[in-house]
Amino acid sequence: MMESIITKVTVSDVRFPTSLEQHGSDAMHTDPDYSVAYVVIDTDSGSLKGFGLTFTVGRGTEIVVCAVKALSALVIGKTLEEIVSDFRGFYRLLTNDGQMRWIGPEKGVIQLAAAAILNAIWDMWARAEGKPLWKLLVDMDPRQLIRCIDFTYITDALTEQEALDILEKANKGKQEREDQMLKEGYPAYTTSCAWLGYSDEQLTQLCSAALGEGWTRFKVKVGADLEDDIRRCRLIRKMIGPENTLMIDANQRWDVNEAISWVSSLAEFRPLWIEEPTSPDDILGHAAISKALAPLGIGVATGEQCHNRVMFKQFLQASALQFVQIDSCRVGSVNENLAIMLMAAKFKVPVCPHAGGVGLCELVQHLILFDYISVSASLDNRMCEYVDHLHEHFQSPTVIRNACYIPPKDPGFSCEMLESSVQKHQFPHGEVWRHVLGQKHSPII
Amino acid sequence: MMESIITKVTVSDVRFPTSLEQHGSDAMHTDPDYSVAYVVIDTDSGSLKGFGLTFTVGRGTEIVVCAVKALSALVIGKTLEEIVSDFRGFYRLLTNDGQMRWIGPEKGVIQLAAAAILNAIWDMWARAEGKPLWKLLVDMDPRQLIRCIDFTYITDALTEQEALDILEKANKGKQEREDQMLKEGYPAYTTSCAWLGYSDEQLTQLCSAALGEGWTRFKVKVGADLEDDIRRCRLIRKMIGPENTLMIDANQRWDVNEAISWVSSLAEFRPLWIEEPTSPDDILGHAAISKALAPLGIGVATGEQCHNRVMFKQFLQASALQFVQIDSCRVGSVNENLAIMLMAAKFKVPVCPHAGGVGLCELVQHLILFDYISVSASLDNRMCEYVDHLHEHFQSPTVIRNACYIPPKDPGFSCEMLESSVQKHQFPHGEVWRHVLGQKHSPII
């Protein structure tokens, strides 16, 4: 099955009109239409397929689709065996094409497109092995894992040998941790209660329901108006009580000094972290913010828009974050996230993945399960984001029990969508968009 | 004329088959086909147009074209007056659209596309004023210049007031510097002699011809093979003698420690700078390289793939470069380059622009003239790259005299291409490409 030849890469522009109800709204993305560039890879065997995606928030998804098409030429004609037997080489082929790297390199649209394709390849590999992706990774020989990683530009922070040592050290207790995960699941936190566009009434109602369901960790969007933030944080902290955990997220709204003073004003509500206080590119800025907030007991979290391992390397070297928020689509899929998780382990910084959107929870649960079982071996200060919508469009949606991600059992990377959902939400000609765009005065375009 | 309404944004995929003769080849881009996404903005006045472009190296140009189309919706229907009366606001509109910013933000394909459009707007503005762009900038009130800049995320390094102070301080002697430039031109260096794919014979011949034309500053591509580099640097240094200037350029080929040891091996040829020693994202890496090479008298230069002002800010804060290589297309056009030039002035680091490619010389000469006349007021350790090909495709090609850029006099930003060149080089259906792609065993695809 591994020797089936890849014959076709299909990519679709799939969008959900979430802006109509302000789901996902934050200080910088006020009207997101959660979307994906959705990739299906076909082989000549017929039975072996791969499904992958990258997440976007509406307009511009067609540009990512265009980039996936451009990269497809590098994939078609190869076999899965060829690819995974030199996955590092294939990764470089995709991310370092002598002409296309100019429009990155390894950042922005071209990196999102590479992620969508690589996610589909990893999905295909896991299906070929009849395992969920996390289990494929957990069972893989450490030397083979290392050969999936492009160490270019990070050897000053992590060598291949150091990476191997981390994986081999974590061999101890691996089976126990896998059993524990299968029984209890991986701890999650919820962002569903407090999007910026939600009213206080919505927030109260959602928070109360979440407490009832057993949630203990809550994230609130901040950054548009300080008085609003104080009121909302007070409301949430009062509802969840002093023992539960609160995080705040500014989605890059501030300059460096503004971030420090604004967050200091929210310190009384004891947030565990401030997420994305400023530009995702500003390593030194995050370092300054981290240093200023440390005495207040507030950490800095970032990563959902951190575009590659070279940036994460520096965030770690500069002590610019205290929580590494990997994303399953922003960087180069599993390959690059392996590098990032291993660097985080070396620098002893916890990984707390970014999720939500469309399919991000489905994807990233595999990575964080692997991180716990095979890399970090710790749950201290660790948890994975969860947002409760759009899961109904997936073949194998995430399962949450007692506010924990229950490890998926179906083979693959969990991002195969329902064919009917893909059809209905195709932009702009699917049924849903014909309806939305047909309405006059639509807020969408 | 400023009130003419923008009615149309046309964008073309224009490519030159430069890979056939190894022009432009370097350690990472072994087969570039120099290309542009070429933008023409039309207004309802008919006579007022704007021409802009962004540079790429072949495959993937269609993705940038797609991004320009997506951004065009934000431009059509506006007047030039509306745009330039709140240029900062328009800049943010283009770079911070609540949905499209996700696929950047301010980096990669979407930033290249924004640059192409903004370059065309600046061209249109200069045409409307009947001035070459450099002169429009030199004559502009400092307060109006400041209002073109988005200071978001850089106020910890440069405030509006500091920027204004720099411009006002440089008022002294401005007229003299403008006269000097008109008479002598701005000093240039040549990269045309030593592309990586050139043989020693080609190199000797081109270098000898350049010396004859009065060139005194030469750049050599390095990074693929150390023995080759030593041989080529020795050859060039011998030809140009001890007094002339040599620079070396690795185009991101190395990891941090590798860069330090490789460049140390070339120190005997006394290069002024090593350009792009490692990943363009690696601020801390460049800082380590700068520190290690300082005792050898070798500086670090980078910038052509530095994607925005936030990155340049950190390179300056971390003393990670000694030469700031602005590019006219990588970042957000004149608006963002104003921020970068002003930060460089504050940190007292010389600006030495990246040029070459297609149209980069034509564009960036305007920026460096403005830098000298209105910002830095210095030529110390400063020069602008020049590459001698593809100029024949422009309406107002650069003029070099005694190895200096002679200030352009035609109104605009100098990047209007000949209609016949655009037609012939359209990819893939223009005459040139029908011919190249029609040949069997073509090296291009």
Side-chain angles (χ1 to χ4, degrees), chain A residues 28-29 31-33 55-60 62-64 66-67 70 97-105 107-110 112 151-156 252 254-257 278-284 304-305 307-308 310-311 313-314 317-318 330 354, chain B residues 28-29 31-33 55-60 62-64 66-67 70 97-105 107-110 112 151-156 252 254-257 278-284 304-305 307-308 310-311 313-314 317-318 330 354:
Chain A
M28 297 296 269
H29 312 91
D31 64 339
D33 285 326
F55 171 65
T56 58
V57 304
R59 285 185 296 278
E62 75 276 17
I63 310 169
V64 184
C66 181
D97 175 87
Q99 295 192 347
M100 282 190 278
R101 79 183 301 282
W102 186 269
I103 60 175
K107 61 176 65 68
V109 168
I110 197 83
L112 293 169
F151 283 86
T152 308
Y153 301 142
I154 59 170
T155 54
D156 55 324
Q252 313 166 19
W254 305 309
D255 279 21
V256 174
N257 296 319
T278 187
S279 164
D281 295 336
D282 198 350
I283 299 148
L284 301 180
E304 72 186 72
Q305 295 199 15
H307 55 265
N308 62 38
V310 183
M311 295 300 288
K313 175 187 79 166
Q314 295 172 84
Q317 288 172 321
R330 177 68 61 180
H354 170 246
Chain B
M28 296 297 269
H29 313 90
D31 64 339
D33 285 325
F55 171 66
T56 57
V57 302
R59 285 185 295 279
E62 75 277 16
I63 311 169
V64 185
C66 181
D97 175 87
Q99 295 192 349
M100 282 189 278
R101 80 184 297 283
W102 186 269
I103 60 175
K107 61 177 64 70
V109 168
I110 196 84
L112 293 169
F151 283 86
T152 307
Y153 301 142
I154 59 169
T155 54
D156 55 324
Q252 313 166 19
W254 304 309
D255 280 22
V256 174
N257 296 319
T278 187
S279 163
D281 295 337
D282 198 351
I283 298 148
L284 301 179
E304 73 186 72
Q305 296 199 16
H307 54 267
N308 61 37
V310 182
M311 295 300 288
K313 176 187 78 166
Q314 295 173 84
Q317 288 173 321
R330 177 68 59 180
H354 170 245

Side-chain angles (χ1 to χ4, degrees), chain B residues 68-292:
Chain B
V68 170
K69 287 179 184 164
L71 290 173
S72 294
L74 303 171
V75 181
I76 290 167
K78 294 210 158 32
T79 65
L80 180 59
E81 188 180 32
E82 243 180 295
I83 291 172
V84 304
S85 67
D86 177 22
F87 215 152
R88 181 186 294 171
F90 179 75
Y91 182 83
R92 286 184 181 157
L93 180 78
L94 222 58
T95 57
N96 269 299
D97 175 87
Q99 295 192 349
M100 282 189 278
R101 80 184 297 283
W102 186 269
I103 60 175
E106 299 183 77
K107 61 177 64 70
V109 168
I110 196 84
Q111 186 79 332
L112 293 169
I117 290 175
L118 287 164
N119 282 340
I121 298 285
W122 279 98
D123 178 69
M124 186 184 265
W125 190 6
R127 284 168 192 263
E129 301 286 346
K131 292 178 182 178
L133 182 95
W134 67 268
K135 180 70 173 150
L136 172 75
L137 294 173
V138 162
D139 291 348
M140 203 181 287
D141 182 272
R143 281 177 296 274
Q144 192 175 5
L145 278 169
I146 297 298
R147 286 198 302 270
C148 298
I149 299 172
D150 182 2
F151 283 86
T152 307
Y153 301 142
I154 59 169
T155 54
D156 55 324
L158 183 77
T159 64
E160 289 196 39
Q161 187 57 52
E162 287 173 317
L164 197 58
D165 292 346
I166 291 168
L167 289 169
E168 284 177 347
K169 191 178 158 206
N171 255 328
K172 195 181 156 208
K174 221 167 112 175
Q175 189 59 54
E176 290 75 9
R177 291 192 295 275
E178 182 176 333
D179 294 343
Q180 179 198 357
M181 285 295 106
L182 287 167
K183 199 171 144 212
E184 299 167 12
Y186 192 92
Y189 72 85
T190 177
T191 307
S192 291
C193 299
W195 295 105
L196 207 61
Y198 284 5
S199 67
D200 287 4
E201 289 67 32
Q202 259 177 306
L203 194 148
T204 309
Q205 189 189 338
L206 289 166
C207 188
S208 159
L211 283 164
E213 288 161 18
W215 291 93
T216 59
R217 304 171 174 101
F218 301 81
K219 195 163 79 187
V220 182
K221 297 285 179 176
V222 299
D225 180 275
L226 181 58
E227 291 311 309
D228 281 347
D229 290 351
I230 291 173
R231 193 187 69 253
R232 289 156 54 90
C233 285
R234 178 166 293 134
L235 184 63
I236 294 253
R237 176 50 85 193
K238 200 175 156 195
M239 287 193 69
I240 68 177
E243 298 307 315
N244 286 324
T245 305
L246 177 71
M247 287 87 69
I248 55 175
D249 183 359
N251 293 86
Q252 313 166 19
R253 182 61 184 253
W254 304 309
D255 280 22
V256 174
N257 296 319
E258 194 182 9
I260 294 168
S261 77
W262 195 302
V263 177
S264 300
S265 303
L266 299 174
E268 61 174 302
F269 309 111
R270 295 190 300 104
L272 176 66
W273 74 51
I274 171 64
E275 181 171 330
E276 292 204 301
T278 187
S279 163
D281 295 337
D282 198 351
I283 298 148
L284 301 179
H286 280 80
I289 297 167
S290 291
K291 203 172 163 190

